[in-house]
Amino acid sequence: MITVSDTARKKVVELMTDDGFDAASDYIRVGVKSGGCSGLSYDLTFDNSKAEEDKVFENNGVKIIVDKKSFLYLVGTTLEYSGGLNGTGFVFNNPNAQRTCGCGESFSL
């Protein structure tokens, strides 16, 4: 399962609304792709449909879809939002990552 912090939930709802999505019925799609300085990078988009093989979760009022392959890398991850001095954006706190880059956008297992 992927959990969503209160701060991330507020920002997700705001950004989904700005992009024409409805947080009550649409999804955030979270995935992992090859790339980044540590080998794998996170991908977060909004989506209004899901594929048959997608895993679907709901946490803190946010509907999340993850493809099966990415799910293996993301089990137990918490999605947070940082607005601090070190940069603004979504942060993935992934207990499976053994190494992350300085910016936190890529990781390796």
Side-chain angles (χ1 to χ4, degrees), residues 51-63:
E52 187 175 315
E53 65 274 1
D54 286 336
K55 299 251 185 212
V56 180
F57 305 97
E58 185 166 345
N59 182 262
N60 203 2
V62 176
K63 295 180 181 184

Side-chain angles (χ1 to χ4, degrees), residues 67-81:
D67 64 87
K68 281 184 178 181
K69 181 181 173 187
S70 295
F71 177 72
L72 298 173
Y73 297 108
L74 296 171
V75 172
T77 296
T78 300
L79 179 64
E80 301 201 28
Y81 185 81

Side-chain angles (χ1 to χ4, degrees), residues 91-102:
V91 177
F92 293 85
N93 288 325
N94 186 343
N96 304 305
Q98 294 182 2
R99 187 171 58 108
T100 60
C101 67

Side-chain angles (χ1 to χ4, degrees), residues 35-38 40-43 88 90 92 100-107:
C37 51
S38 292
L40 297 169
S41 61
Y42 299 106
D43 189 34
T88 300
F90 288 101
F92 293 85
T100 60
C101 67
C103 65
E105 293 181 12
S106 68
F107 68 102

